[in-house]
Amino acid sequence: MAHQEKATSGVEWRITLEDGSSKSLVPDAGPVSRIWAGLGGLIAGLVLKVREFLRRAWDIGVDDPRKVIHCLKVGMALTAVSLFYFMRPLYNGLGGNAMWAIMTVVVVLENTVGATIYKCSNRVFATTLAGFLAFGVHWVASQSGQEFEPLITGASVFILASATTFSRFIPSVKALFDYGALIFILTFSLVTVSGYRVDKLFDMACQRISTILIGTCLCLLVTLFICPIWAGEELHVLISRNMDKLANSLDGCVDEHFDYNDEHKDSDKQPDKKLLGYKCVLSSKATEESMAKFARWEPAHGRFNFKHPWQQYLKIGASMRSCACCVAALNSCIDSENQAPEFIKKHLSNICLKVSSSSSSVLKEVAKTIKTMKRSSSIELLVEEMSSAVQDLQHEIKSLPKLLSPPEVLHPESKETDDTTSTIHLLDVIPVVTLASLMIEISSRVQAIVETVEELAELAQFKGEVQEKEKQNQPNTNRIVASQLNDDQQTVKALERV
């Protein structure tokens, strides 16, 4: 029978069991202790989440410092426009409508120059047009009498808001004036409805337009002259970078498929880095379209003229996504359970690696062409090498029936055995034919990419590498000619003296 003993300290209780063993009894924690423990765990978890958030924010700022600069530009613009509220002379000139300048800076100032110009121009044009239309509707409604004034005001709001909303579904209007249509509806509705109760409607509309002009001009000055980020340049870099990633993905997929040394089985990091590129190409359509849209609003800057063919970049991006789809299908062949026998893979490994290497070389050379904006002198040779490799691959595919002949001679009478062998050989050759057809299709789509880049080079008037070398060598040639002329003149003078 168990009996209890009290510890000498008066805190710990211990139970002695019948078998001679003892067990310590710890008193249950009170409600206050449990609450403190819960609060401690909650605070510790909150601190860890804040530290993780700060670490991620720091990584984002380190990866792209321009994001931090944009945040500082927004703060600078808002501080400058707030002076219209802080300084009494400026506030007396604009009154409570000075808040519209602050609102304009908040909604208009974007990360790139093109996006900011797009929103500024749309906001100014839409606000001005809506303000004068609202004033005209107010004048007509006020002349029609008190009975018809609310009807005319309401009907004008209904008609113009409905028509403007429908215009946002038109592709051409949506591409250029989608934001302006939204601002037009907002401004016209506010000014028209408020004009029913406000006497000095024209003064109010002029003040709001002036404050919006102040906000947009301030945004344009900040985004153009303080560390500008050009949407066109971002699109240019994105296309060339995605093309390099696509070339690396193509090499990575084929190398992993014909990996006999099992180099990638233990380490998954290296193939993942190579295979991630085509996914970036497939997911970049929305980014390319938005950048091309904003680039059309930007002035001439750097190497890009005002009429630079930004729409051609979208065609190049579409061609790259078409090629990336084939690379994705090629990547699925690696994970497929139905694999070709090793002797068939070894037979086609060299030629497939040659096709992938030549195709990726073409892609890298085209990416260099876009990056440097100079025509390549070796692109034709690389394309010919790719076409030759594709022809060799087609020749090797035609020789597969000889390789797949049965290893033993079969009796012509045993029809059943012959059919079984043919079925086995057909199943063996399906993965190889699939891989080869994808390689051939990829090469043809790479050719389409080259053609779109050539169109860009024609439209943007890229200079050739030979022309650049001639320009660089021209000063040296002039110096040589001048020195030769001086020597000839000295020789003639010496002969005359003789």
Side-chain angles (χ1 to χ4, degrees), residues 31-282:
V32 178
S33 300
R34 290 196 298 269
I35 292 174
W36 277 110
L39 288 176
L42 181 62
I43 293 173
L46 183 61
V47 170
L48 291 176
K49 290 183 178 180
V50 171
R51 289 181 59 185
E52 182 67 19
F53 173 77
L54 293 177
R55 185 186 65 81
R56 292 181 179 178
W58 177 264
D59 293 339
I60 292 173
V62 171
D63 293 338
D64 192 357
R66 295 177 302 176
K67 295 180 180 179
V68 180
I69 296 175
H70 173 67
C71 298
L72 297 177
K73 288 161 63 176
V74 173
M76 184 187 305
L78 286 174
T79 303
V81 80
S82 299
L83 296 176
F84 288 93
Y85 246 75
F86 298 151
M87 300 178 68
R88 176 60 63 179
L90 297 176
Y91 181 79
N92 292 335
L94 297 176
N97 290 318
M99 185 60 66
W100 284 82
I102 299 176
M103 294 174 59
T104 301
V105 172
V106 172
V107 300
V108 162
L109 189 56
E110 292 290 338
N111 189 29
T112 60
V113 176
T116 303
I117 295 176
Y118 163 76
K119 283 197 169 183
C120 286
S121 57
N122 272 259
R123 188 172 182 84
V124 171
F125 177 75
T127 302
T128 304
L129 180 61
F132 283 107
L133 280 177
F135 179 76
V137 170
H138 173 71
W139 183 83
V140 173
S142 61
Q143 296 297 323
S144 61
Q146 296 182 353
E147 296 180 356
F148 295 98
E149 184 176 359
L151 297 177
I152 295 175
T153 302
S156 64
V157 171
F158 173 78
I159 294 173
L160 288 178
S162 302
T164 307
T165 303
F166 178 78
S167 67
R168 298 180 64 189
F169 294 104
I170 302 174
S172 58
V173 176
K174 184 176 181 63
L176 297 175
F177 306 107
D178 184 65
Y179 180 73
L182 184 65
I183 296 300
F184 176 84
I185 296 172
L186 176 64
T187 304
F188 181 80
S189 301
L190 288 176
V191 175
T192 303
V193 174
S194 60
Y196 185 73
R197 300 293 183 183
V198 177
D199 295 332
K200 297 181 179 180
L201 181 62
F202 184 76
D203 295 338
M204 182 188 71
C206 291
Q207 286 181 352
R208 290 189 178 181
I209 292 174
S210 61
T211 53
I212 289 174
L213 286 174
I214 292 171
T216 53
C217 291
L218 182 60
C219 290
L220 290 176
L221 291 175
V222 170
T223 193
L224 283 172
F225 298 103
I226 301 178
C227 299
I229 302 174
W230 303 98
E233 188 175 352
E234 292 292 310
L235 176 62
H236 186 83
V237 173
L238 176 65
I239 291 294
S240 61
R241 185 172 61 241
N242 282 348
M243 200 167 293
D244 284 329
K245 290 180 179 179
L246 184 61
N248 293 331
S249 297
L250 179 57
D251 278 336
C253 289
V254 179
D255 289 343
E256 187 171 353
H257 185 75
F258 294 103
D259 186 18
Y260 299 115
N261 297 325
D262 297 333
E263 296 177 355
H264 299 314
K265 288 185 178 179
D266 297 332
S267 177
D268 296 333
K269 294 182 180 180
Q270 187 172 356
D272 286 343
K273 289 181 180 179
K274 289 185 177 181
L275 300 180
L276 189 63
Y278 75 90
K279 296 181 181 178
C280 296
V281 176
L282 291 174

